[in-house]
Amino acid sequence: MTTQQAQSRGALGSLAFALSTSVPGIHSAAIEDGELVVRTSRDRLLALMGLLRDDPRYACEQMMDLCGVDYPARAERFEVVYNLLSVTRNHRIRVIVTTDETNPVPSVHHLWPCATWWERECYDLFGVLFSGQPDLRRILTDYGFEGHPLRKDFPLTGYVEMRYDEDRRQVVYEPVKLTQDFRNFDFESPWEGILTLPGDEKAHESRQGLKLPR
């Protein structure tokens, strides 16, 4: 570890200690894989985010990303992960809260306007609700799409398929059908029995000591 890396890790360690000892509602604050990861509750999220943005010790001017993670076995199956960047302090802070299908997470779009796009994506793909978000619409899936495709229990094939019908001259939606004719497989490589591959005639000639016709 270089001196600069050690200094950066020490600075993040100081921030983690300050957050865990002086900010209410922090479940944990620790260094994970070289980044400061803070876990908090939904009801304390806005106060923490405002602090991380406005306090000069943290100075997280930018929210680089917001994403979801699904753990179906948990009571609160979703983690909402906020990746913050401080250009001034040259550090990153990751904030994590948990929720389920019905309890909304407070929107942070008034702190970072770009959050609207990320919150819409998280809602679209995971079904996470965000209270106070004035534009909570789907953003990646089609109109009338059913379900949330990044949930672990969402079927890999989806529920419906879309195609263009030549006879009706319009786009139609139909239930997914995965019917397949029975086929016999011999489980042998298609290359077995081929002594000379296309383009490899000269190598085959030299190996066999043969003279191929010109």
Side-chain angles (χ1 to χ4, degrees), residues 3-213:
T3 302
Q4 184 178 4
Q5 290 174 328
Q7 291 175 345
S8 176
R9 188 176 182 86
L12 288 178
S14 299
L15 296 180
F17 179 78
L19 287 169
S20 59
T21 57
S22 61
V23 179
I26 300 295
H27 299 326
S28 66
I31 306 300
E32 300 180 14
D33 296 326
E35 292 188 3
L36 174 55
V37 179
V38 183
R39 289 176 169 82
T40 188
S41 55
R42 293 188 303 273
D43 59 335
R44 298 299 306 175
L45 177 65
L46 291 183
L48 172 63
M49 292 302 220
L51 176 72
L52 294 179
R53 189 192 68 168
D54 300 331
D55 191 310
R57 293 176 296 174
Y58 311 107
C60 294
E61 303 97 340
Q62 299 183 20
M63 190 181 81
M64 304 304 296
D65 185 26
L66 182 160
C67 58
V69 187
D70 186 16
Y71 298 93
R74 297 181 182 177
E76 293 194 342
R77 63 184 291 180
F78 302 117
E79 284 188 352
V80 181
V81 183
Y82 302 82
N83 294 302
L84 309 180
L85 171 66
S86 172
V87 179
T88 303
R89 297 294 184 182
N90 191 27
H91 61 228
R92 296 177 183 271
I93 299 178
R94 181 175 300 151
V95 179
I96 301 176
V97 297
T98 61
T99 189
D100 54 23
E101 295 95 330
T102 58
N103 290 299
V105 176
S107 173
V108 296
H109 75 280
H110 59 288
L111 297 174
W112 296 281
C114 66
T116 291
W117 292 89
W118 303 121
E119 289 173 353
R120 287 180 59 185
E121 181 181 52
C122 191
Y123 163 70
D124 189 3
L125 301 182
F126 290 93
V128 174
L129 302 174
F130 292 90
S131 60
Q133 172 52 255
D135 190 20
L136 197 61
R137 297 174 295 153
R138 290 186 180 268
I139 193 172
L140 293 177
T141 57
D142 198 6
Y143 298 106
F145 188 89
E146 295 182 9
H148 304 280
L150 286 191
R151 288 187 179 186
K152 295 292 179 61
D153 52 7
F154 188 83
L156 295 179
T157 57
Y159 296 105
V160 297
E161 60 182 350
M162 178 183 67
R163 67 179 179 85
Y164 181 77
D165 190 294
E166 288 286 353
D167 297 329
R168 298 164 61 179
R169 296 184 178 275
Q170 66 181 42
V171 174
V172 296
Y173 294 84
E174 298 172 334
V176 172
K177 297 179 181 179
L178 293 179
T179 56
Q180 177 176 286
D181 294 334
F182 179 77
R183 292 182 291 173
N184 291 319
F185 296 91
D186 57 14
F187 300 105
E188 291 185 1
S189 170
W191 301 109
E192 291 184 4
I194 299 179
L195 298 178
T196 304
L197 298 178
D200 197 30
E201 291 83 1
K202 290 185 178 180
H204 174 71
E205 178 183 348
S206 62
R207 285 197 305 269
Q208 302 296 326
L210 302 175
K211 203 70 174 175
L212 296 180

